[in-house]
Amino acid sequence: MNTAVEKINLLGMPKEKLEAFFESLGEKRFRATQILQWVHQRGVDDFDQMSNMSKVLRDRLKEIAEVRGPEVVYDETSKDGTRKWVMRMDSGNSVETVLIPDGERGTLCVSSQIGCSLDCTFCSTGKRGFNRNLTAAEVIGQVWVARKAFMPFEPNADRPITNVVMMGMGEPLLNFDNVVDAMNLMMEDLAYGISKRRVTLSTSGVVPAIDRLGEVTDVSLAISLHAPNDALRNQLVPLNKKYPIAELLAATRRYLARLPDKRKATIEYTVIEGMNDKPEHAEEMAELLRGLPCKINLIPFNPFPESDFRRPSMNATRRFQKILNEAGYVATIRTTRGDDIDAACGQLVGRVEDRTRRSQRYIEVQQVTP
């Protein structure tokens, strides 16, 4: 008879939860600080190496706890320097994590779910269906693995990861508690010490969760808009049927109003040829966003096999940008990075044991479509 007790993974515990954990063991709260520094600042996952804790405590921790990150099954670097990891999670599913270097800045794109419970029509992840939410340890584990890939793993070493964006696989606000715990660790001075301005959560528009987010954190916010009106956004982002644009932008304003500084939301807009790239769409966007503190990130669509959409011409994208710039907005065109290793925006797929049968339905449609 197997009586093994499942160990507690300390990797995903922010400081407050670690303090409660050690108090439950009859230990002092400062043990949480020690664990945070060993694990997140030095990359240590072996309790025996944690020399400032007693042997008795280390032995106790080995019995009931662990520090376990995801298993790396793929690690590839693009010709442009973009690096992609495929990380296997418990139960055999995997997610993808991407590091985009840009001068002294390194932006890590982190996943929050295995697959995605939404079904945005321009995103490859959604076509793979959905399996489950990632745990907090699996979310922060992506940062931990990426950081371990660059040695030395020391507090004062140059940081290869200066920014984190929750823009990988999944909708972060549908995995609320685990994502918040992971982001708290990203910003924790005793862990990764990333500025709240440099941790960005991107959402397709889960309006009640945006309001809830504003009650517990002040990370930066990005809105996956992709359309200037409800009729078009209903086609591209089905969640819009539940939370239309007016409600989404109102929630965004409420979130920004809570922040202690004058930060702007990032409006993400995937530009798709013949769908949402016309001058009238840009003019409608300019009017729609009037008065909202924001910057606009135009993302040329990145093709993938299950989609009939096409990448817009650069002329069309620049014309769209020009209209927004002339209306007074800061609008930039995101440079496509990592497309030779399928690491570009909208291309992350991982390995998903689909509980929704969505992926099978797309396959069946493709088989009967001439």
Side-chain angles (χ1 to χ4, degrees), residues 197 200 219-222 252 256 259 261-267 292-296 328-330:
R197 286 177 167 271
T200 301
V219 297
S220 295
L221 186 66
T252 303
L256 294 176
L259 299 181
D261 48 23
K262 294 183 178 180
R263 233 176 304 168
K264 296 180 179 180
T266 298
I267 302 297
L292 177 70
C294 67
K295 54 186 177 181
I296 303 168
Y329 296 95
V330 174

Side-chain angles (χ1 to χ4, degrees), residues 128-181:
R128 295 303 189 273
F130 174 73
N131 183 268
R132 65 172 174 84
N133 287 331
L134 295 178
T135 66
E138 290 168 333
V139 178
I140 197 64
Q142 297 166 69
V143 183
W144 188 72
V145 165
R147 181 64 186 88
K148 280 173 72 73
F150 298 89
M151 299 303 287
F153 202 131
E154 292 293 339
N156 298 321
D158 290 339
R159 295 184 179 183
I161 302 168
T162 59
N163 298 61
V164 175
V165 291
M166 297 299 308
M167 296 181 186
M169 298 170 63
E171 165 54 59
L173 290 183
L174 293 180
N175 186 14
F176 191 94
D177 292 335
N178 291 328
V179 165
V180 168
D181 278 352

Side-chain angles (χ1 to χ4, degrees), residues 93-133:
N93 295 281
S94 60
V95 302
E96 299 187 3
T97 307
V98 175
L99 179 65
I100 305 167
D102 184 11
E104 296 182 353
R105 182 172 66 180
T107 299
L108 190 70
C109 184
V110 172
S111 295
S112 58
Q113 297 180 313
I114 298 174
C116 186
S117 51
L118 305 181
D119 188 15
C120 299
T121 57
F122 54 87
C123 181
S124 182
T125 304
K127 303 298 176 285
R128 295 303 189 273
F130 174 73
N131 183 268
R132 65 172 174 84
N133 287 331

Side-chain angles (χ1 to χ4, degrees), residues 71-77 84-87 340-342:
E71 176 191 1
V72 176
V73 296
Y74 174 92
D75 180 355
E76 187 68 31
T77 301
K84 181 172 84 169
W85 293 268
V86 178
M87 303 186 195
D340 58 318
I341 57 171
D342 291 330

